[in-house]
Short mmCIF file of all heavy atoms in Angstrom, two decimals:
data_model
loop_
_atom_site.label_atom_id
_atom_site.label_comp_id
_atom_site.label_asym_id
_atom_site.label_seq_id
_atom_site.Cartn_x
_atom_site.Cartn_y
_atom_site.Cartn_z
N GLU P 24 41.74 44.66 12.64
CA GLU P 24 40.51 45.41 12.97
C GLU P 24 39.25 44.50 12.82
O GLU P 24 38.37 44.53 13.70
CB GLU P 24 40.43 46.61 12.03
CG GLU P 24 39.50 47.68 12.54
CD GLU P 24 39.67 48.97 11.73
OE1 GLU P 24 40.80 49.38 11.51
OE2 GLU P 24 38.63 49.47 11.28
N GLU P 25 39.23 43.78 11.73
CA GLU P 25 38.06 42.86 11.53
C GLU P 25 37.97 41.85 12.64
O GLU P 25 36.90 41.52 13.14
CB GLU P 25 38.26 42.20 10.15
CG GLU P 25 36.98 41.52 9.66
CD GLU P 25 37.27 40.72 8.35
OE1 GLU P 25 38.02 41.26 7.46
OE2 GLU P 25 36.77 39.61 8.27
N LEU P 26 39.16 41.33 13.00
CA LEU P 26 39.23 40.32 14.04
C LEU P 26 38.59 40.83 15.37
O LEU P 26 37.80 40.20 16.03
CB LEU P 26 40.67 39.85 14.28
CG LEU P 26 40.96 38.66 15.25
CD1 LEU P 26 42.27 38.04 14.83
CD2 LEU P 26 41.07 39.09 16.68
N ILE P 27 39.05 42.06 15.77
CA ILE P 27 38.60 42.61 17.06
C ILE P 27 37.08 42.85 16.97
O ILE P 27 36.34 42.48 17.88
CB ILE P 27 39.31 43.88 17.35
CG1 ILE P 27 40.81 43.52 17.70
CG2 ILE P 27 38.73 44.60 18.57
CD1 ILE P 27 41.74 44.65 17.90
N GLU P 28 36.61 43.44 15.86
CA GLU P 28 35.17 43.70 15.74
C GLU P 28 34.34 42.45 15.82
O GLU P 28 33.32 42.35 16.56
CB GLU P 28 34.89 44.42 14.45
CG GLU P 28 34.93 45.92 14.56
CD GLU P 28 34.65 46.69 13.32
OE1 GLU P 28 33.79 46.20 12.52
OE2 GLU P 28 35.26 47.76 13.11
N THR P 29 34.81 41.40 15.12
CA THR P 29 34.07 40.12 15.15
C THR P 29 34.12 39.51 16.51
O THR P 29 33.06 39.04 17.01
CB THR P 29 34.66 39.16 14.09
OG1 THR P 29 34.79 39.80 12.87
CG2 THR P 29 33.78 37.94 13.93
N ALA P 30 35.27 39.48 17.15
CA ALA P 30 35.47 38.84 18.45
C ALA P 30 34.54 39.51 19.50
O ALA P 30 33.92 38.89 20.33
CB ALA P 30 36.89 38.87 18.90
N LEU P 31 34.48 40.87 19.46
CA LEU P 31 33.71 41.65 20.42
C LEU P 31 32.18 41.42 20.34
O LEU P 31 31.47 41.82 21.28
CB LEU P 31 34.06 43.09 20.44
CG LEU P 31 35.54 43.47 20.80
CD1 LEU P 31 35.70 44.97 20.87
CD2 LEU P 31 35.92 42.82 22.09
N GLU P 32 31.77 40.79 19.28
CA GLU P 32 30.29 40.55 19.15
C GLU P 32 29.89 39.60 20.33
O GLU P 32 28.71 39.51 20.65
CB GLU P 32 29.98 39.85 17.85
CG GLU P 32 29.99 40.82 16.69
CD GLU P 32 29.74 40.14 15.36
OE1 GLU P 32 29.18 39.04 15.32
OE2 GLU P 32 30.07 40.69 14.26
N ALA P 33 30.89 38.89 20.90
CA ALA P 33 30.53 38.01 22.02
C ALA P 33 30.29 38.78 23.30
O ALA P 33 29.84 38.21 24.30
CB ALA P 33 31.71 37.02 22.22
N ASP P 34 30.65 40.05 23.36
CA ASP P 34 30.45 40.89 24.57
C ASP P 34 30.00 42.27 24.12
O ASP P 34 30.81 43.13 23.72
CB ASP P 34 31.74 40.95 25.33
CG ASP P 34 31.56 41.67 26.70
OD1 ASP P 34 30.75 42.60 26.77
OD2 ASP P 34 32.27 41.35 27.65
N GLU P 35 28.71 42.51 24.27
CA GLU P 35 28.09 43.76 23.69
C GLU P 35 28.70 45.02 24.36
O GLU P 35 28.92 46.03 23.65
CB GLU P 35 26.59 43.77 23.83
CG GLU P 35 25.91 43.01 22.70
CD GLU P 35 24.43 43.11 22.71
OE1 GLU P 35 23.88 44.02 23.39
OE2 GLU P 35 23.78 42.23 22.15
N ASP P 36 28.89 44.96 25.62
CA ASP P 36 29.45 46.23 26.34
C ASP P 36 30.78 46.60 25.74
O ASP P 36 30.95 47.79 25.41
CB ASP P 36 29.60 45.96 27.83
CG ASP P 36 28.24 45.66 28.43
OD1 ASP P 36 27.24 45.85 27.79
OD2 ASP P 36 28.18 45.11 29.56
N LEU P 37 31.70 45.62 25.58
CA LEU P 37 33.01 45.92 25.02
C LEU P 37 32.90 46.45 23.59
O LEU P 37 33.58 47.38 23.19
CB LEU P 37 33.87 44.72 25.04
CG LEU P 37 34.46 44.29 26.43
CD1 LEU P 37 35.20 42.97 26.29
CD2 LEU P 37 35.38 45.28 27.04
N LEU P 38 31.97 45.86 22.85
CA LEU P 38 31.79 46.28 21.45
C LEU P 38 31.35 47.72 21.33
O LEU P 38 31.83 48.48 20.55
CB LEU P 38 30.78 45.28 20.77
CG LEU P 38 30.56 45.60 19.27
CD1 LEU P 38 31.84 45.34 18.48
CD2 LEU P 38 29.46 44.67 18.69
N MET P 39 30.31 48.05 22.19
CA MET P 39 29.81 49.45 22.15
C MET P 39 30.91 50.48 22.51
O MET P 39 31.18 51.49 21.81
CB MET P 39 28.62 49.69 23.20
CG MET P 39 27.40 48.83 22.80
SD MET P 39 26.97 48.94 21.06
CE MET P 39 26.52 50.68 20.94
N GLU P 40 31.68 50.08 23.53
CA GLU P 40 32.83 50.95 23.96
C GLU P 40 33.78 51.10 22.87
O GLU P 40 34.28 52.24 22.61
CB GLU P 40 33.52 50.19 25.17
CG GLU P 40 34.05 51.14 26.19
CD GLU P 40 34.56 50.30 27.40
OE1 GLU P 40 33.70 49.81 28.20
OE2 GLU P 40 35.80 50.12 27.51
N TYR P 41 34.15 50.04 22.19
CA TYR P 41 35.13 50.03 21.09
C TYR P 41 34.64 50.90 19.96
O TYR P 41 35.34 51.71 19.35
CB TYR P 41 35.37 48.59 20.65
CG TYR P 41 36.33 48.49 19.46
CD1 TYR P 41 37.63 48.85 19.57
CD2 TYR P 41 35.91 48.00 18.24
CE1 TYR P 41 38.57 48.71 18.51
CE2 TYR P 41 36.77 47.87 17.13
CZ TYR P 41 38.09 48.24 17.27
OH TYR P 41 38.96 48.14 16.22
N LEU P 42 33.33 50.73 19.54
CA LEU P 42 32.82 51.46 18.43
C LEU P 42 32.58 52.92 18.70
O LEU P 42 32.83 53.81 17.87
CB LEU P 42 31.48 50.81 17.92
CG LEU P 42 31.58 49.39 17.34
CD1 LEU P 42 30.23 48.81 16.94
CD2 LEU P 42 32.45 49.40 16.08
N GLU P 43 32.11 53.23 19.94
CA GLU P 43 31.76 54.66 20.21
C GLU P 43 33.03 55.44 20.64
O GLU P 43 33.22 56.57 20.17
CB GLU P 43 30.73 54.69 21.36
CG GLU P 43 29.32 54.32 20.86
CD GLU P 43 28.37 54.07 21.93
OE1 GLU P 43 28.68 54.36 23.12
OE2 GLU P 43 27.25 53.62 21.65
N GLU P 44 33.77 54.84 21.54
CA GLU P 44 34.98 55.58 22.06
C GLU P 44 36.29 55.22 21.35
O GLU P 44 37.30 55.90 21.61
CB GLU P 44 35.06 55.42 23.56
CG GLU P 44 33.82 55.96 24.28
CD GLU P 44 33.72 55.42 25.71
OE1 GLU P 44 34.77 55.13 26.28
OE2 GLU P 44 32.55 55.25 26.16
N GLY P 45 36.31 54.14 20.64
CA GLY P 45 37.48 53.73 19.99
C GLY P 45 38.56 53.15 20.92
O GLY P 45 39.68 52.97 20.56
N THR P 46 38.15 52.87 22.18
CA THR P 46 39.15 52.24 23.12
C THR P 46 39.26 50.77 22.82
O THR P 46 38.24 50.05 22.89
CB THR P 46 38.70 52.48 24.61
OG1 THR P 46 37.36 52.11 24.66
CG2 THR P 46 38.95 53.83 25.05
N GLU P 47 40.48 50.33 22.67
CA GLU P 47 40.65 48.88 22.34
C GLU P 47 40.75 48.11 23.66
O GLU P 47 41.51 48.52 24.55
CB GLU P 47 41.94 48.70 21.51
CG GLU P 47 42.07 47.27 21.09
CD GLU P 47 43.37 47.09 20.26
OE1 GLU P 47 43.50 47.70 19.16
OE2 GLU P 47 44.25 46.34 20.76
N PRO P 48 40.04 47.04 23.80
CA PRO P 48 40.08 46.23 24.96
C PRO P 48 41.46 45.57 25.14
O PRO P 48 42.26 45.53 24.18
CB PRO P 48 39.05 45.13 24.76
CG PRO P 48 38.54 45.23 23.38
CD PRO P 48 39.09 46.50 22.72
N SER P 49 41.74 45.10 26.34
CA SER P 49 43.04 44.48 26.57
C SER P 49 43.17 43.14 25.87
O SER P 49 42.11 42.53 25.44
CB SER P 49 43.23 44.24 28.11
OG SER P 49 42.37 43.18 28.49
N MET P 50 44.36 42.64 25.75
CA MET P 50 44.59 41.36 25.08
C MET P 50 43.80 40.20 25.72
O MET P 50 43.18 39.40 25.05
CB MET P 50 46.06 41.03 25.07
CG MET P 50 46.47 39.95 24.03
SD MET P 50 46.16 40.50 22.39
CE MET P 50 47.84 40.50 21.77
N ASP P 51 43.74 40.25 27.06
CA ASP P 51 43.03 39.17 27.76
C ASP P 51 41.52 39.21 27.41
O ASP P 51 40.85 38.17 27.28
CB ASP P 51 43.20 39.32 29.31
CG ASP P 51 44.61 38.87 29.69
OD1 ASP P 51 45.28 38.23 28.89
OD2 ASP P 51 45.07 39.16 30.87
N GLU P 52 40.99 40.46 27.35
CA GLU P 52 39.57 40.61 27.06
C GLU P 52 39.22 40.09 25.64
O GLU P 52 38.24 39.43 25.38
CB GLU P 52 39.12 42.05 27.26
CG GLU P 52 38.98 42.41 28.72
CD GLU P 52 38.69 43.88 28.89
OE1 GLU P 52 39.21 44.72 28.08
OE2 GLU P 52 37.94 44.23 29.82
N ILE P 53 40.16 40.44 24.69
CA ILE P 53 39.91 39.95 23.34
C ILE P 53 39.97 38.44 23.27
O ILE P 53 39.05 37.82 22.72
CB ILE P 53 41.01 40.54 22.39
CG1 ILE P 53 40.88 42.07 22.30
CG2 ILE P 53 40.84 39.96 20.95
CD1 ILE P 53 42.01 42.76 21.53
N LYS P 54 40.93 37.85 24.00
CA LYS P 54 41.04 36.39 23.98
C LYS P 54 39.77 35.74 24.61
O LYS P 54 39.26 34.72 24.16
CB LYS P 54 42.30 35.94 24.72
CG LYS P 54 43.54 36.13 23.85
CD LYS P 54 44.74 35.41 24.46
CE LYS P 54 45.85 35.29 23.50
NZ LYS P 54 47.12 34.72 24.06
N ARG P 55 39.30 36.40 25.69
CA ARG P 55 38.09 35.90 26.36
C ARG P 55 36.93 35.86 25.41
O ARG P 55 36.14 34.92 25.34
CB ARG P 55 37.79 36.72 27.61
CG ARG P 55 36.53 36.22 28.36
CD ARG P 55 36.36 37.08 29.61
NE ARG P 55 36.21 38.54 29.35
CZ ARG P 55 35.06 39.06 28.88
NH1 ARG P 55 33.99 38.24 28.61
NH2 ARG P 55 34.99 40.34 28.67
N CYS P 56 36.82 36.96 24.61
CA CYS P 56 35.72 37.07 23.66
C CYS P 56 35.87 36.03 22.52
O CYS P 56 34.86 35.45 22.09
CB CYS P 56 35.66 38.42 23.05
SG CYS P 56 35.09 39.65 24.20
N ILE P 57 37.13 35.80 22.09
CA ILE P 57 37.29 34.81 21.02
C ILE P 57 36.88 33.42 21.54
O ILE P 57 36.24 32.66 20.85
CB ILE P 57 38.78 34.77 20.52
CG1 ILE P 57 39.14 36.13 19.88
CG2 ILE P 57 38.95 33.69 19.52
CD1 ILE P 57 40.64 36.25 19.52
N ARG P 58 37.30 33.22 22.81
CA ARG P 58 37.00 31.90 23.37
C ARG P 58 35.45 31.68 23.50
O ARG P 58 34.96 30.65 23.18
CB ARG P 58 37.67 31.83 24.79
CG ARG P 58 37.51 30.51 25.44
CD ARG P 58 38.21 30.48 26.78
NE ARG P 58 37.88 29.27 27.52
CZ ARG P 58 38.55 28.16 27.43
NH1 ARG P 58 39.61 28.03 26.67
NH2 ARG P 58 38.18 27.12 28.10
N GLN P 59 34.77 32.76 23.97
CA GLN P 59 33.35 32.70 24.11
C GLN P 59 32.65 32.49 22.75
O GLN P 59 31.81 31.60 22.67
CB GLN P 59 32.89 34.04 24.73
CG GLN P 59 31.41 34.11 25.00
CD GLN P 59 30.94 33.13 26.05
OE1 GLN P 59 31.62 32.95 27.06
NE2 GLN P 59 29.80 32.54 25.91
N GLY P 60 33.08 33.23 21.75
CA GLY P 60 32.45 33.18 20.37
C GLY P 60 32.71 31.82 19.76
O GLY P 60 31.82 31.28 19.04
N THR P 61 33.90 31.26 19.98
CA THR P 61 34.26 29.93 19.41
C THR P 61 33.38 28.87 20.07
O THR P 61 32.86 28.01 19.38
CB THR P 61 35.74 29.60 19.71
OG1 THR P 61 36.54 30.67 19.17
CG2 THR P 61 36.13 28.32 19.00
N ARG P 62 33.20 29.01 21.39
CA ARG P 62 32.41 28.04 22.13
C ARG P 62 30.93 28.09 21.70
O ARG P 62 30.28 27.07 21.55
CB ARG P 62 32.48 28.33 23.62
CG ARG P 62 32.06 27.19 24.45
CD ARG P 62 32.37 27.45 25.91
NE ARG P 62 31.34 28.35 26.52
CZ ARG P 62 31.50 28.90 27.65
NH1 ARG P 62 32.54 28.65 28.38
NH2 ARG P 62 30.52 29.68 28.16
N ASP P 63 30.45 29.27 21.37
CA ASP P 63 29.06 29.50 20.95
C ASP P 63 28.84 29.26 19.46
O ASP P 63 27.76 29.55 18.92
CB ASP P 63 28.52 30.84 21.38
CG ASP P 63 28.51 31.03 22.88
OD1 ASP P 63 28.64 30.03 23.61
OD2 ASP P 63 28.43 32.21 23.38
#
């Protein structure tokens, strides 16, 4: 849970969706966010 919340900070839209509606993004989206956050 902590991993997903931290990773989604790289994409605000996905983060809002996850926090408000509780819908978990797909594995590819999570990996994309981890990649983005690692790069930044």
Side-chain angles (χ1 to χ4, degrees):
E24 197 168 311
E25 192 186 320
L26 186 154
I27 292 172
E28 272 180 32
T29 310
L31 294 187
E32 285 176 20
D34 185 326
E35 276 186 20
D36 298 346
L37 286 176
L38 182 63
M39 295 315 294
E40 214 173 284
Y41 176 67
L42 293 176
E43 284 168 9
E44 297 163 30
T46 47
E47 184 180 298
S49 70
M50 198 62 118
D51 286 345
E52 284 174 324
I53 296 173
K54 283 190 166 177
R55 179 177 59 77
C56 288
I57 297 175
R58 185 179 169 88
Q59 182 67 38
T61 306
R62 197 174 78 190
D63 297 344

